[in-house]
Amino acid sequence: MLLKYLSWKRTAKPHGSITDDEVHVELVQEKLYMQGFDEKGRPLVYLFLARHFPAKRDLDEFKRYVIYILDNTCTRLRTGQEKFAVVGDLRGWGYANCDIRAYVAALDIMQSCYPERLGRVLLIHVPYVIMAAWKMLYPFIDDKTKEKFVFVAGSWDLDATLRDSIDESQLPKEYEGRLELRGYNDLSPPSSSN
């Protein structure tokens, strides 16, 4: 497994890491924020799936973006912590955002090259079509993976689930918390000379 990873790393990250410039088109869309920590000390990734448009993406750049995000999230892991958590917001998600090729590519990269890094996924504002698809796939998913996904139903469940998992100081203002999400367009891009 290690040899396979090292071989993959040489081709996926020939310079050792992915720079901002290599994923600029994906970064400026601000569909993802890497900020805060959950109650277990796992770094949080806030993902807004309605901001992803397959018609505007290049699959190779998207794959580099996934690697960029995973690498940067893993650098935020505190001592003794090996996993991160995701809040996936599907508010406004529709057919124009559906990108099976990108979803499969992201999952493949995560499973093959970053195994057991994902601690928990809270999916909120989930459309009915996603719930129906999940129910069909559920029997074929292993129990460890099933435990990582939490579908949050209504607004009361949303507030309670988020507050049970994430301190108010780490919860974005969009969800009645105090955290100001700051994306790539708000910040001076970090130096690409890592």
Side-chain angles (χ1 to χ4, degrees), residues 5-60:
Y5 170 77
L6 292 174
S7 173
W8 167 82
K9 184 178 175 184
R10 277 192 299 277
T11 57
K13 301 188 276 187
H15 307 292
S17 64
I18 306 290
T19 65
D20 293 356
D21 292 338
E22 293 176 88
V23 293
H24 185 263
V25 172
E26 293 290 335
L27 286 172
V28 297
Q29 294 175 45
E30 295 197 341
K31 54 187 160 190
L32 191 143
Y33 298 83
M34 299 177 285
Q35 286 177 246
F37 294 87
D38 73 1
E39 292 289 349
K40 293 187 176 184
R42 297 178 289 213
L44 283 164
V45 174
Y46 291 97
L47 177 60
F48 295 89
L49 292 160
R51 296 180 189 172
H52 175 77
F53 295 96
K56 294 182 178 180
R57 68 109 179 101
D58 170 84
L59 189 58
D60 288 331

Side-chain angles (χ1 to χ4, degrees), residues 54-117:
K56 294 182 178 180
R57 68 109 179 101
D58 170 84
L59 189 58
D60 288 331
E61 181 175 354
F62 180 80
K63 290 176 183 179
R64 286 191 303 273
Y65 177 66
V66 170
I67 296 164
Y68 173 93
I69 295 301
L70 291 170
D71 282 351
N72 282 291
T73 300
C74 288
T75 62
R76 295 176 51 230
L77 292 169
R78 294 175 173 164
T79 303
Q81 183 58 262
E82 296 182 0
K83 299 181 184 290
F84 62 90
V86 175
V87 175
D89 192 337
L90 285 102
R91 179 182 291 153
W93 183 91
Y95 182 73
N97 310 108
C98 185
D99 192 354
I100 301 301
R101 291 181 69 200
Y103 303 155
V104 169
L107 286 171
D108 181 55
I109 291 168
M110 246 177 100
Q111 290 177 355
S112 301
C113 306
Y114 299 84
E116 293 303 315
R117 288 295 190 178

